[in-house]
Amino acid sequence: MKRILEIVWIILVGLTVFAYLLGHLHYINSFFVAILLLTTFIKVQLVLDYFMELKNVTGKYRWIPSIWLTIVISLIAVAYYLPVSSTH
Amino acid sequence: MSQNSTLKEKYPPGDFGVWIIIYVELITFGLFFIGYAFSRRANIEMFNHSQLMLETTSGFINTLLLVTSSYFVVKAVTSIQNMPHDRREEFNKKASKWLLLAMLFGAGFLVNKIFEFSYIFGEGITLSTNKFFMFYLLLTGFHFMHVLLGSVILFNIFQKTRIYGYTVEDHKGIVSGAAYWHMVDFLWIVLFPLVYIIR
């Protein structure tokens, strides 16, 4: 696709606007946080694949940053969704 | 091995040294991000309340600036990669224009961040105010340093394009510098929702 970089940029901007609008909601519920984390994952993966050209790389060097991203986003989700134990 | 995988590169683009730096940065920032998320669990009310003092619009503008700057850097790199052998000057010039735009947007990020920091410090907030602001100042301050270093790298690459220094065969420098700049970009892409939006 000839205009792939422009499409990637438009998606990145669009998802950033979406995140900003979510930030203006007074109450962000768990569902919105899940969407926010998912869109963050997509944005970083797009930068890795198309801006950093890792889609043209094979093997472990293709996946190291993606594995990092998966671990970080998953642990943020765990920290958010895991019930907070009460001492009372 | 499939034909598709034989067409792919074994190593990431640019100098492998820059990728070692990127991996180290990923570990450092990753620990910061996870540390923030788990510290928040210990005092959700305080984190949510403190977060309201941040200017989300400033974080949003900075995300747009970095993402767009990254796009300009890719355009500079592709200009060099797609350069015909006999049009070195023209395509280096083209790359330098994209890099100039990228640097301007990077500078915009830094200026905006300085305004944000001066507002925060003006409110009397320091590293010891509370855990939220400790993370906020460390994370965004540390990231600010990376944008600063990235800008210096971009300037060096820009200088080289001004003397038509890149060729189709030899352009590892611009690709390596671009990889660092994209890392700075995607770290902010994670930082923005984590610190400014999620509550």
Side-chain angles (χ1 to χ4, degrees):
Chain A
M1 210 184 296
K2 213 179 168 188
R3 290 269 162 210
I4 189 73
L5 292 174
E6 284 68 28
I7 293 168
V8 167
W9 176 73
I10 288 166
I11 294 171
L12 291 173
V13 169
L15 292 180
T16 302
V17 172
F18 175 71
Y20 176 65
L21 294 176
L22 273 189
H24 273 72
L25 295 177
H26 195 60
Y27 293 107
I28 298 180
N29 63 25
S30 305
F31 174 72
F32 285 141
V33 170
I35 299 285
L36 207 51
L37 290 176
L38 184 68
T39 56
T40 302
F41 183 93
I42 293 168
K43 282 162 77 179
V44 177
Q45 196 57 54
L46 284 173
V47 172
L48 292 169
D49 281 348
Y50 293 95
F51 285 7
M52 295 176 98
E53 295 182 288
L54 286 183
K55 67 175 172 35
N56 301 328
V57 178
T58 184
K60 58 181 179 288
Y61 297 116
R62 162 80 170 85
W63 297 111
I64 289 172
S66 300
I67 292 168
W68 170 87
L69 178 64
T70 308
I71 293 171
V72 168
I73 296 285
S74 304
L75 286 176
I76 292 170
V78 167
Y80 188 84
Y81 288 105
L82 209 65
V84 179
S85 60
S86 172
T87 52
H88 298 291
Chain B
M1 197 183 282
S2 71
Q3 197 187 349
N4 191 33
S5 64
T6 55
L7 292 172
K8 292 192 170 189
E9 302 288 334
K10 196 178 170 196
Y11 293 100
D15 195 290
F16 195 69
V18 83
W19 284 92
I20 301 288
I21 296 169
I22 289 172
Y23 298 147
V24 173
E25 301 285 11
L26 292 187
I27 294 169
T28 314
F29 274 92
L31 289 174
F32 263 128
F33 293 151
I34 295 162
Y36 171 92
F38 279 91
S39 295
R40 181 182 173 278
R41 284 171 55 79
N43 204 335
I44 293 173
E45 283 299 313
M46 180 270 284
F47 267 67
N48 287 353
H49 182 74
S50 302
Q51 192 192 49
L52 290 175
M53 285 187 70
L54 300 186
E55 188 49 70
T56 315
T57 305
S58 166
F60 166 66
I61 290 169
N62 270 348
T63 313
L64 293 183
L65 286 171
L66 270 196
V67 160
T68 308
S69 175
S70 247
Y71 165 75
F72 291 150
V73 169
V74 184
K75 294 299 281 184
V77 171
T78 50
S79 298
I80 298 294
Q81 285 170 336
N82 300 328
M83 159 169 58
H85 282 276
D86 55 340
R87 290 161 74 186
R88 183 170 157 180
E89 286 188 16
E90 180 192 339
F91 279 74
N92 268 277
K93 262 187 198 166
K94 208 186 248 187
S96 77
K97 281 177 190 160
W98 286 117
L99 288 169
L100 185 63
L101 280 172
M103 285 189 295
L104 284 174
F105 276 58
F109 177 98
L110 292 171
V111 170
N112 191 21
K113 207 81 200 79
I114 288 169
F115 278 118
E116 194 180 313
F117 281 143
S118 39
Y119 166 73
I120 291 290
F121 290 131
E123 293 291 307
I125 290 162
T126 64
L127 275 173
S128 50
T129 298
N130 61 32
K131 219 169 216 178
F132 172 83
F133 283 111
M134 182 197 80
F135 270 108
Y136 164 78
L137 288 172
L138 283 178
L139 264 171
T140 57
F142 195 42
H143 184 268
F144 182 92
M145 305 282 200
H146 284 74
V147 179
L148 213 54
L149 176 61
S151 303
V152 173
I153 293 169
L154 285 188
F155 182 71
N156 278 296
I157 296 168
F158 169 74
Q159 292 285 70
K160 191 155 177 180
T161 56
R162 302 259 294 164
I163 55 165
Y164 319 126
Y166 293 111
T167 62
V168 182
E169 294 82 16
D170 179 18
H171 58 266
K172 241 183 179 177
I174 190 170
V175 177
S176 306
Y180 186 86
W181 191 250
H182 298 315
M183 176 205 71
V184 169
D185 174 30
F186 78 63
L187 287 175
W188 183 263
I189 288 177
V190 179
L191 198 158
F192 171 58
L194 179 66
V195 177
Y196 288 77
I197 296 180
I198 292 176
R199 59 180 172 267

